[in-house]
Amino acid sequence: MITTQRKLHTVQETYQHLVPRYDQENGVVWCNMQPSVKPCFTPELLEEMRSLRTSIEDQARCDQLNANNSGLRYQVLASNIPGTFSLGGDLSLFLEAIRSGNRDRLFAYAKSCIDMVYSVATSYSLPLTTISLVQGEALGGGFEAALASNILIAERGSQMGLPEILFNLFPGMGAYTLLSRRLDPARAEKIILSGKIYSAEELYEMGVVDVLANPGEGEQAVYAYIRKQNQTYGGYQAVRRIRQRYQPIDYQELLDITEEWVDTALQLKEK
């Protein structure tokens, strides 16, 4: 059997923007973002996330085929940048593509984001629970990435929001779909159109954040959640499947919204 641990060990040196860590004892693979230039989703970071995603899928499918109940069960997306989960999209890339009218480049970037969001949100169509751990700021696409996971854990004092509307754009990589599932379309639109930055505490009260942790205790909160879920793992997975059946995330929907985002972005003026 090819294990994620062995795969991550052999390719870890090739990662420059991502720090993977496989906790085999607890069946958890940690995906810690560590972009070398700026704390956002650069094409390089997205490519490394795609590569790691393939390893995770291979391991989870292998465990499933071999009925390995103690295998990979959880993926955690976190950040190694103090005070920052992610500031979202690569604004330098956006500016260059918009100024040059390069629709293909902008769409290719957006699609790579959608591919990541869809895989995480649907748990790779496998019995895997995806978790986001937010410690600090998660803005724009960073907030969308956090929302994509099945479970969102955030430390008190963290801030999340979608400021795109303030510069005549909207979050186009899953925000509407993901927030509507956690809340409802009316409240999702309110958050999107406000451009407001919310505290983790506010989002917890709304029901957007699932678990609220004390500052510096995010990782402990992740493991506490895992221990709790492990007690009734089959039931958790069944409910998750029911939710996906009742509120399915449609890839084409995400893609259509992204097309709208690209068209809107290309119409932005220099101001």
Side-chain angles (χ1 to χ4, degrees), residues 227-255:
R227 286 192 296 272
K228 180 181 178 182
Q229 181 170 317
N230 281 344
Q231 294 173 2
T232 52
Y233 188 78
Y236 269 86
Q237 289 301 317
V239 170
R240 194 152 292 131
R241 288 193 297 272
I242 292 169
R243 184 182 185 188
Q244 179 60 18
R245 178 67 181 86
Y246 177 70
Q247 287 183 307
I249 292 182
D250 181 61
Y251 181 80
Q252 188 60 50
E253 175 189 332
L254 294 175
L255 204 58

Side-chain angles (χ1 to χ4, degrees), residues 12 51 129 153 202 204 212 225 236 251 259:
Q12 189 159 356
S51 174
T129 299
I153 297 175
E202 289 176 297
Y204 178 74
L212 199 58
Y225 176 84
Y236 269 86
Y251 181 80
E259 292 263 17

Side-chain angles (χ1 to χ4, degrees), residues 6 21 119 128 252:
R6 187 153 60 245
R21 173 167 59 92
S119 295
L128 185 76
Q252 188 60 50

Side-chain angles (χ1 to χ4, degrees), residues 95 99 267-271:
L95 286 171
R99 283 173 173 155
Q267 293 173 22
L268 289 176
K269 305 302 179 184
E270 189 64 30
K271 180 179 178 180

